[in-house]
Amino acid sequence: MTKLDLEQEKYPGLRKGLVMIVGGLSLLFLTGVLLGFTVATFEHGGPNVTDAAIIAAILAMIAAVVFAGWKLWPRDIDEPLSPSTRKARNWMNVIIGFSVAAGFAFAVMEGPESASLFSNGPLNPVVAMLALIGWLVVTPAVSWAWWRNVDEHEAAAYRDSGIVAMHFYFFLAPAWWLASRAGWVPAQDPMIVFAIVTTVWLLAWAYRKYT
């Protein structure tokens, strides 16, 4: 057994957290690049050979990130899973899959002129209705199903990270509001604040769960 193998066995939780954070951010970035480039390509009449090659290269990088995450993810040895823990993991996969699909569909339906999560322009009523149903009906239902099956450690990590995120928002929002009124920073955008606080929540959750 090599020194690397020993380190992996000693700190499997930390390694899981790093793979999740770095891999997740990389996938988010590459998916955004792929979506933006694809929308721009079809806006200008469809992909040519060069465009197709670039899209293929981006897809290859996404596949490489997924493969690297799978290879680097520590393997649990002789660790039986309870039925509730297995269900919780399955529901988490459903949440992730639905979020990715919904975000992609939302950006595509908005159209190339406003394909941005942070746009404050007018929105098609049908797109808005579908987004609201997904956010206010589907997401809470799936999240509740996940919450009912988590174990004590997962529940504690979720609660603690939520407290960290709420305190971060408690200080960030008023500070940004005051600084913007003084002319030091741009006006506060609710979706940017939402994204920042969500990122803090995810980082705190990964640290609490895997260390």
Side-chain angles (χ1 to χ4, degrees):
M1 183 175 291
T2 65
K3 181 180 179 181
L4 179 60
D5 293 331
L6 291 173
E7 290 176 350
Q8 292 176 6
E9 289 186 1
K10 188 176 180 181
Y11 304 107
L14 180 59
R15 194 174 186 203
K16 286 181 179 180
L18 290 174
V19 170
M20 179 177 293
I21 294 171
V22 176
L25 292 176
S26 299
L27 285 177
L28 181 63
F29 172 76
L30 289 172
T31 303
V33 171
L34 175 64
L35 177 60
F37 184 81
T38 302
V39 170
T41 297
F42 281 97
E43 182 184 6
H44 292 87
N48 53 33
V49 176
T50 302
D51 295 332
I54 294 174
I55 292 174
I58 299 173
L59 289 172
M61 287 188 284
I62 292 175
V65 171
V66 173
F67 179 75
W70 177 76
K71 293 292 291 184
L72 293 173
W73 190 265
R75 301 296 185 264
D76 296 325
I77 301 175
D78 298 328
E79 183 183 347
L81 295 178
S82 65
S84 62
T85 301
R86 192 178 302 277
K87 287 182 181 179
R89 291 190 177 183
N90 291 337
W91 280 116
M92 178 60 71
N93 292 333
V94 171
I95 293 172
I96 294 173
F98 175 76
S99 300
V100 172
F104 183 84
F106 182 80
V108 170
M109 287 188 296
E110 271 199 290
E113 290 80 12
S114 59
S116 173
L117 177 64
F118 306 108
S119 172
N120 292 313
L123 189 61
N124 185 295
V126 175
V127 176
M129 180 60 66
L130 292 175
L132 286 172
I133 292 174
W135 183 250
L136 298 177
V137 179
V138 179
T139 301
V142 177
S143 298
W144 175 248
W146 169 80
W147 178 256
R148 291 183 60 189
N149 291 283
V150 297
D151 56 22
E152 293 80 3
H153 176 71
E154 180 74 30
Y158 189 74
R159 285 193 300 266
D160 292 349
S161 59
I163 292 173
V164 171
M166 186 61 213
H167 280 80
F168 184 82
Y169 175 80
F170 181 80
F171 292 106
L172 172 65
W176 191 339
W177 174 67
L178 290 172
S180 65
R181 294 184 64 182
W184 298 334
V185 296
Q188 187 173 152
D189 187 291
M191 290 307 296
I192 293 178
V193 174
F194 174 80
I196 294 173
V197 173
T198 301
T199 301
V200 171
W201 194 341
L202 291 175
L203 291 174
W205 171 79
Y207 177 82
R208 179 69 174 81
K209 178 177 172 63
Y210 294 116
T211 58

